[in-house]
Amino acid sequence: MDVTVVVPVFDTMPYLTATLDSLVAQSIGASRMHVVAVDDGSTDGSGEELDRYAAAHPGLLTVVHQANSGGPAGPCNVGLELAQGRYVFFLGSDDYLGEEALERMVDRADAWGSDVLCGRMVGVNDRYVSQRLYREDAEDVPFPGELLPYALSNTKLFRRALLEEHSIRYALDLRVGSDQPFTVEALHHAARVSVLADYTCYYAVRRADARNISYTSTWRARLEDIGAVMDHIAELLPAGEERDGVLVRHFDSELIKLVERDHAVLPESDRAPLRAGLRALMDRYFTDRIYARLGPLTRLRYCAVRADDPQAIDDLTTVDADELPLVLDGEHVSFHLPDHVDDSLPPDVLQLPLTHARRMVFRVSSDARVTWAEDRLHLEVPTRLDPRSTPYVRAALIAATGLEGRPALRRDRRAASDKPSRRVDIAADGTLTWSGDVVAELGDRDHALWELRLQLDVGEHTYALPVYAEPIEPQQVRRGGIGRRRHYDVEVLVDSESRVLVSCEKR
């Protein structure tokens, strides 16, 4: 038997029918799979639906009926005890699988020697599922790394021998989130964690009745539940880099929502206990490593929580990180806060972590306006850059040979300095302007086609961002002294992705 699918079930009709249909239709076939469905005291007909499918598909489904245990942990443990497959997969009873999901995951795990394999998961009915982990197939993904801490659900393929060797089971004292410590322990012990991204394996459904537990709990319950999950993870992983690499997820994703969303609408009788509860978790787990991996606004919010400053928290609720100007100083990318927010803080609070900075650098500009004036090419482009960034930004013409389809480049700063480039001007509103004599720069060079890019110096690298614009009319430029005039045809082109290319040819 290749794989056992464990399905904990409690009152999920009519969604359960689609779940079971997706299992019956699996391309892996009944001879290679087994389903253990544990009815946890359902009262809506889910138990009867399970029995109907088991009767219609003998040998495929094993159905267990039990009194309600209060959560999915107990049923998952029951399913594990009855599992027969080399692999175990956990499926929510209101979700469903792609038809080839199990076959593809098992075959890929066998080929790669994976102990845990994460198949692409998407949301249905506005259910949010981050896609960062699923950008491409990956045979060996480091744990914790930058991605896995944000994908701790149990909706993965686990090698059953790994679970048995380390006696990995679900914590029965957690009301919600019991899959997180389970998954963390498996990832911690796994010799290889892999990602299957080229096929959608799992469809996570947000129910129309909004009864998914993550959408129904109060702030107090969520704070207590998140804290309990963090405590369990802390028991599994000793204090240090690995634990911090996992717990950063809870500060960066789950707890911060209590600050951003709940605090603003709660009465002060609730706001003060919320801040106190957050500070208690910060005292236990908020390390310098976690602080360094958070974005500036998140850092500021936790600074305000630590200082028990509700006004500062409220001020930050009006700040949109996607609209804040960015300041380059050659080494870092930082946010520039609006005047109404107290910015008398250590500079490092506003600096973006390296992973955030890379993403933000490639979102600094929008469509440009390119024009000719007096034989010079003029560029005007709205950006999010603060004028203080000017010394670290240039416009550059880079040989376009083979550039089609290539993403924005990152080069060692020294290697980027030999390209024809010019400093730009950045106005107070972020508008970047540049004017270049294209013939003077390119007329005697070997390449006939060049791409216009913005170069930004950050740390040891120079990032080269494409410039996007509408095409403009060709321009003929004449250069040289009397009797030695040369003609150059200069044309601004736009490729299939709207990137600006410059052609300069002698006549």
Side-chain angles (χ1 to χ4, degrees), residues 440-455:
E441 293 193 356
L442 304 182
D444 294 322
R445 292 184 174 265
D446 295 332
H447 298 286
L449 191 63
W450 299 74
E451 183 176 1
L452 181 60
R453 292 198 173 193
L454 298 179
Q455 291 186 331

Side-chain angles (χ1 to χ4, degrees), residues 207-388:
R207 292 160 57 174
D209 58 7
R211 289 182 60 191
N212 306 71
I213 193 164
S214 57
Y215 293 95
T216 59
S217 55
T218 66
W219 74 264
R220 196 180 299 274
R222 277 180 284 137
L223 179 62
E224 293 174 355
D225 291 340
I226 295 167
V229 169
M230 295 172 74
D231 290 341
H232 270 271
I233 292 172
E235 291 176 3
L236 295 171
L237 306 176
E241 188 170 354
E242 185 179 20
R243 181 202 282 182
D244 289 346
V246 175
L247 294 185
V248 65
R249 166 245 174 87
H250 300 87
F251 285 105
D252 191 32
S253 177
E254 297 170 354
L255 293 173
I256 197 61
K257 291 173 184 173
L258 296 171
V259 184
E260 295 172 341
R261 302 175 186 176
D262 295 74
H263 188 272
V265 299
L266 291 172
E268 186 56 33
S269 59
D270 283 337
R271 283 154 59 103
L274 172 57
R275 296 192 301 272
L278 290 167
R279 284 196 301 276
L281 288 175
M282 292 176 69
D283 290 341
R284 292 206 294 275
Y285 302 123
F286 196 74
T287 66
D288 290 343
R289 268 189 296 261
I290 289 176
Y291 171 88
R293 287 186 57 178
L294 300 176
L297 291 185
T298 302
R299 291 177 185 168
L300 287 171
R301 288 184 170 102
Y302 281 118
C303 286
V305 169
R306 178 86 76 184
D308 199 23
D309 188 344
Q311 185 59 54
I313 296 174
D314 291 344
D315 288 344
L316 288 166
T317 60
T318 64
V319 177
D320 185 348
D322 291 334
E323 297 180 357
L324 287 177
L326 297 172
V327 181
L328 309 184
D329 63 11
E331 298 300 325
H332 306 97
V333 180
S334 303
F335 279 142
H336 177 57
L337 292 176
D339 293 338
H340 75 274
V341 177
D342 179 16
D343 61 358
S344 59
L345 296 161
D348 69 306
V349 174
L350 302 177
Q351 291 172 2
L352 279 73
L354 181 59
T355 53
H356 290 59
R358 288 173 184 156
R359 294 197 297 270
M360 296 301 293
V361 158
F362 294 115
R363 295 164 55 190
V364 299
S365 64
S366 53
D367 286 352
R369 181 170 177 263
V370 181
T371 57
W372 287 107
E374 299 177 353
D375 291 348
R376 296 178 68 86
L377 187 64
H378 293 268
L379 171 68
E380 181 179 307
V381 52
T383 77
R384 292 181 55 194
L385 294 172
D386 183 273
R388 287 172 288 180

Side-chain angles (χ1 to χ4, degrees), residues 1-4 32 84-88 106-107 110 158-162:
M1 185 71 64
D2 284 331
V3 58
T4 294
R32 296 178 60 190
Q84 305 169 18
R86 296 184 296 117
Y87 297 100
V88 179
V106 168
D107 291 351
D110 282 345
F158 297 91
R159 189 180 298 277
R160 188 161 67 93
L162 175 79

